[in-house]
Amino acid sequence: MTIRPEIASGSTPTTVENADITVVGGAGHVGIPLVLALAESGLRVNVNDLNEVTLDTLAAGKLPFIET
């Protein structure tokens, strides 16, 4: 499911232009679970955050923290 199927293609990366939603602060302790839940529901999610180290960690497919 995508809100805007006319601009979304499953083979293209999600960008600001084709995202269904942008989560500001999306690389934090609250943002990451929210982003994952939205993406799991089928939305194209853009993560906006100032912490470039955390964004790089996410881009590498890893979580920057572990919640117990």
Side-chain angles (χ1 to χ4, degrees):
M1 170 190 96
T2 183
I3 296 173
R4 303 182 314 167
E6 68 278 2
I7 63 169
S9 168
S11 62
T12 59
T14 301
T15 64
V16 172
E17 291 80 19
N18 69 5
D20 294 311
I21 189 167
T22 295
V23 178
V24 178
H29 284 268
V30 174
I32 291 173
L34 176 61
V35 166
L36 293 174
L38 292 169
E40 187 176 45
S41 73
L43 295 174
R44 294 176 62 98
V45 184
N46 181 50
V47 178
N48 180 285
D49 203 290
L50 296 176
N51 189 334
E52 292 186 29
V53 173
T54 300
L55 291 172
D56 291 341
T57 302
L58 291 172
K62 299 177 183 176
L63 290 175
F65 58 85
I66 300 294
E67 294 287 341
T68 55

